Amino acid sequence: MLKIAVFVSGRGSNLKAILNAVSAGELQIEISAVVSDKSDCPAFDIAKENQIDTFVVSSKISEGEGSYSKLIFELETRSVGLIVLAGFLKKIPDELIDIFENKIINIHPALLPAFGGKGMYGMNVHRAVFDKSVQVSGPTVHFVDKIYDNGRIIAQRAVDISDAQTPEDIAAAVLKEEHKILPFVIKKISEEKVQLKNNRIYIIR
Ligand code: GRF
């Protein structure tokens, strides 16, 4: 069974969506670790309620507790085969990307390659989408490489936001789709149904 680690920084609703899919029997994976840059984020409470090991990392610490090298050791000890960034706000160090090459995915709350890159996270994204009067938005799940929001796209869902009155309306509409697309992509990866052909990602249905 595929073992995954979920990286979070805040609320954890995507973590909850993954857990719900597991409890519903829709997803056969194990969440072996939840990792955050903040020790007191609500997502950690969800992890603890579900008896999942939690780890805090800081890019400023190079060795010992809280360092990425310690985290890599913990992930390897648990045979983690996939890292899922679900609202993790910090840049992933190149060292971790090299070790988990093509094994890190991220969920972004807009249709990449638009509205991505440094500083484009959380409500910043939805405000920018709103201010441009964009009519269609939606989540993107993509592989993570060394550049922000740049890796190959695995899946996207279009959401009609033509009636949105506020950026918060857009956030809510997109989040609903995030909670479906992220467990879907994890499931397809766990079944080895996400494949690279002709330099393009295909999902086998
Ligand atoms: C989501 O909108 C996700 O796309 C973005 O950060 C938010 C995290 O929400 N990267 P949650 O912590 O999963 O509720």
Side-chain angles (χ1 to χ4, degrees), residues 19 30-34 44-54:
L19 282 162
E30 183 186 311
I31 303 183
S32 305
V34 171
F44 258 14
D45 298 333
I46 298 172
K48 285 170 190 158
E49 278 160 25
N50 286 276
Q51 288 84 44
I52 301 167
D53 290 346
T54 56

Side-chain angles (χ1 to χ4, degrees), residues 90-135:
K90 290 282 156 67
K91 181 113 169 49
I92 297 295
D94 289 356
E95 190 195 358
L96 187 63
I97 295 175
D98 287 337
I99 293 171
F100 284 86
E101 202 187 351
N102 293 323
K103 288 184 178 153
I104 308 180
I105 62 170
N106 177 48
I107 183 148
H108 183 77
L111 295 172
L112 292 173
F115 302 104
K118 202 170 182 333
M120 275 294 178
Y121 59 86
M123 284 310 294
N124 294 353
V125 177
H126 302 299
R127 270 192 289 270
V129 166
F130 186 84
D131 289 345
K132 267 276 174 222
S133 194
V134 164
Q135 305 291 307

Side-chain angles (χ1 to χ4, degrees), residues 29 33 36 62 71 88 106 133 140 163 180 187 196 201 205:
I29 54 107
S36 181
S62 58
L71 178 66
F88 187 67
N106 177 48
S133 194
T140 300
D163 288 337
K180 294 182 205 157
K187 181 180 167 71
L196 181 67
I201 301 282
R205 306 283 158 172

Side-chain angles (χ1 to χ4, degrees), residues 164-178:
Q165 303 296 313
T166 62
E168 286 72 21
D169 288 352
I170 300 173
V174 172
L175 191 66
K176 245 170 127 180
E177 289 304 313
E178 289 185 40

Side-chain angles (χ1 to χ4, degrees), residues 12-27 31 46 50 179 183:
S13 70
N14 278 290
L15 169 65
K16 190 90 189 97
I18 301 167
L19 282 162
N20 288 346
V22 171
S23 337
E26 291 157 12
L27 186 56
I31 303 183
I46 298 172
N50 286 276
H179 294 164

